[in-house]
């Protein structure tokens, strides 16, 4: 079996993976990701026991037990460029033998749940909603660097989306579905919809501050898409990368979004921490 080079798989002198600073035994089979490193202890405070606390840069990890279930929570930072690091290194921790630098013969599939914040682009989704992403639609370039194996359903839906977005120059979206298993086990009663992942927070999400936007009426262009029962419901910066890399690497992924803003009503929640807390408690109760 081909040995991975020291340049392709960077391992620290203590045997930990390069960015996450974790050893293979530090990671549970169920992983919660959050963007903000300060949100890691807001999740792990509910653990009955914490056995690992490690960090490097914006990547903070706590691993412990909720009852008898072992769970890791890790901060990714913002954007799909960081998702690229976190998901490749999580996969390496469970599916690569660091001693031989070879892929293990029996691969492990992690359950990965993102608990993040997001803005609704539909007027009938109120702030405070906990919404599960049925699909992640990426407007960034991450998955142009990876080979994908999309289902017929994903391919057909992406064709419809591309036709709808044909007037927006310079984008080539990618689309990946959530894990059916995690949707059924965790998001069974949540609001659901397609989540758009943007490569930025301001103009890439249709916000106007001082710099002039190149795409006019961006929110109206995305919230007007409808195909069958599918519509675009919200906008953030990680979900599409999470779904696409999880599928590429053979893991299960679900994005749970705490809706803090209404992009069509130009409103932002006055109690965002309470909404995030609700999302955290809901996910933990269902694991």
């Amino acid at each position: 079996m081909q040995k991975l080079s020291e340049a392709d798989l960077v391992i620290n002198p203590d045997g930990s993976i390069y960015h996450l600073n974790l050893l293979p035994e530090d990671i549970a089979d169920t992983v919660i990701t959050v963007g903000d490193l300060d949100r890691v202890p807001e999740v792990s405070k509910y653990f009955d026991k914490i056995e690992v606390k490690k960090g490097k840069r914006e990547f903070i990890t706590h691993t412990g037990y909720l009852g008898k279930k072992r769970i890791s929570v890790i901060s990714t930072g913002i954007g799909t460029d960081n998702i690229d690091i976190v998901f490749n290194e999580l996969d390496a921790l469970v599916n690569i033998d660091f001693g031989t630098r070879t892929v293990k013969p029996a691969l492990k599939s992690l359950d990965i749940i993102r608990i993040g914040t997001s803005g609704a682009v539909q007027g009938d989704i109120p702030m405070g909603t906990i919404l599960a992403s049925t699909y992640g639609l990426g407007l960034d370039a991450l998955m142009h660097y990876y080979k994908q194996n999309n289902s017929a359903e994903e391919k057909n839906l992406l064709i419809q989306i591309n036709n709808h977005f044909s007037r927006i120059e310079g984008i080539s979206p990618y689309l990946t579905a959530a894990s059916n298993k995690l949707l059924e086990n965790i998001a069974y009663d949540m609001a659901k919809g397609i989540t758009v992942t943007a490569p930025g927070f301001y103009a890439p999400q249709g916000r106007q501050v001082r710099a002039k936007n190149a795409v006019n009426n961006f929110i109206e262009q995305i919230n007007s898409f409808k195909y069958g029962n599918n519509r675009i419901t919200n906008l953030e910066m990680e979900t599409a990368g999470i779904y696409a890399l999880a599928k590429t690497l053979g893991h299960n992924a679900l994005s749970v979004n705490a809706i803090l803003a209404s992009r069509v009503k130009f409103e932002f929640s006055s109690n965002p921490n309470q909404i995030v807390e609700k999302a955290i408690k809901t996910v933990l109760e269902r694991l």
Side-chain angles (χ1 to χ4, degrees):
M1 190 171 290
Q2 185 177 357
K3 184 176 180 179
L4 297 167
S5 77
E6 293 184 5
D8 287 320
L9 176 67
V10 183
I11 300 174
N12 296 318
D14 66 353
S16 63
I17 195 73
Y18 183 51
H19 295 91
L20 301 187
N21 200 37
L22 297 174
L23 299 167
E25 60 265 30
D26 293 334
I27 283 294
D29 292 348
T30 298
V31 179
I32 293 172
T33 70
V34 294
D36 185 353
L37 55 88
D38 290 333
R39 199 170 292 145
V40 172
E42 292 302 308
V43 177
S44 67
K45 70 183 182 184
Y46 292 106
F47 292 180
D48 297 298
K49 180 175 70 172
I50 299 174
E51 59 182 15
V52 175
K53 284 187 176 183
K54 291 185 176 180
K56 184 179 180 183
R57 304 183 188 183
E58 62 263 61
F59 309 115
I60 305 297
T61 301
H62 291 181
T63 296
Y65 285 86
L66 186 64
K68 295 182 179 180
K69 189 171 185 64
R70 192 169 187 249
I71 302 170
S72 294
V73 54
I74 182 168
S75 58
T76 65
I78 298 173
T80 56
D81 50 347
N82 279 7
I83 295 302
D84 179 63
I85 291 171
V86 172
F87 272 62
N88 276 288
E89 294 194 2
L90 282 176
D91 180 76
L93 286 165
V94 297
N95 287 322
I96 294 174
D97 184 319
F98 282 15
T100 62
R101 290 182 168 273
T102 58
V103 177
K104 294 177 180 179
L107 298 179
K108 179 179 286 188
S109 180
L110 299 171
D111 287 343
I112 305 172
I113 303 100
R114 168 191 179 267
I115 303 176
T117 59
S118 187
V121 298
Q122 300 290 347
D124 62 350
I125 300 176
M127 289 181 292
T129 299
I130 308 301
L131 183 145
S133 306
T134 51
Y135 294 88
L137 175 64
L139 303 186
D140 60 298
L142 175 63
M143 294 310 294
H144 301 319
Y145 295 90
Y146 292 96
K147 291 184 178 180
Q148 300 174 75
N149 184 24
N150 293 111
S151 67
E153 184 180 17
E154 288 168 334
K155 290 177 181 177
N156 181 54
L157 183 54
L158 185 57
I159 288 171
Q160 306 303 320
I161 289 169
N162 278 323
N163 289 339
H164 183 80
F165 288 161
S166 61
R167 291 173 294 174
I168 303 179
E169 296 182 2
I171 66 165
S172 181
Y174 60 93
L175 181 86
T176 315
S179 160
N180 283 329
K181 180 186 83 168
L182 295 180
L183 275 172
E184 291 172 3
N185 292 345
I186 294 174
Y188 49 86
D189 60 351
M190 294 180 185
K192 297 178 181 68
I194 300 171
T195 296
V196 170
T197 294
F201 183 79
Y202 288 97
Q205 293 190 37
R207 289 183 171 90
Q208 177 77 55
V209 185
R210 274 205 337 111
K212 189 174 182 180
N213 293 6
V215 180
N216 295 320
N217 302 316
F218 179 70
I219 299 300
E220 290 83 353
Q221 292 200 52
I222 63 173
N223 70 14
S224 59
F225 173 78
K226 186 171 177 61
Y227 180 70
N229 294 324
N230 297 293
R231 65 172 183 165
I232 294 171
T233 50
N234 61 308
L235 187 59
E236 48 75 87
M237 292 181 65
E238 290 90 33
T239 294
I242 288 172
Y243 280 13
L245 273 182
K247 184 174 183 179
T248 296
L249 294 167
H251 303 293
N252 301 303
L254 176 68
S255 178
V256 175
N257 303 268
I259 301 298
L260 303 187
S262 172
R263 297 301 311 283
V264 291
K265 297 180 180 178
F266 303 99
E267 297 173 347
F268 191 86
S269 173
S270 59
N271 58 345
N273 292 337
Q274 293 179 28
I275 300 170
V276 173
E277 188 81 359
K278 178 184 174 184
I280 291 170
K281 291 174 73 173
T282 300
V283 170
L284 291 178
E285 287 167 359
R286 298 177 182 190
L287 287 178

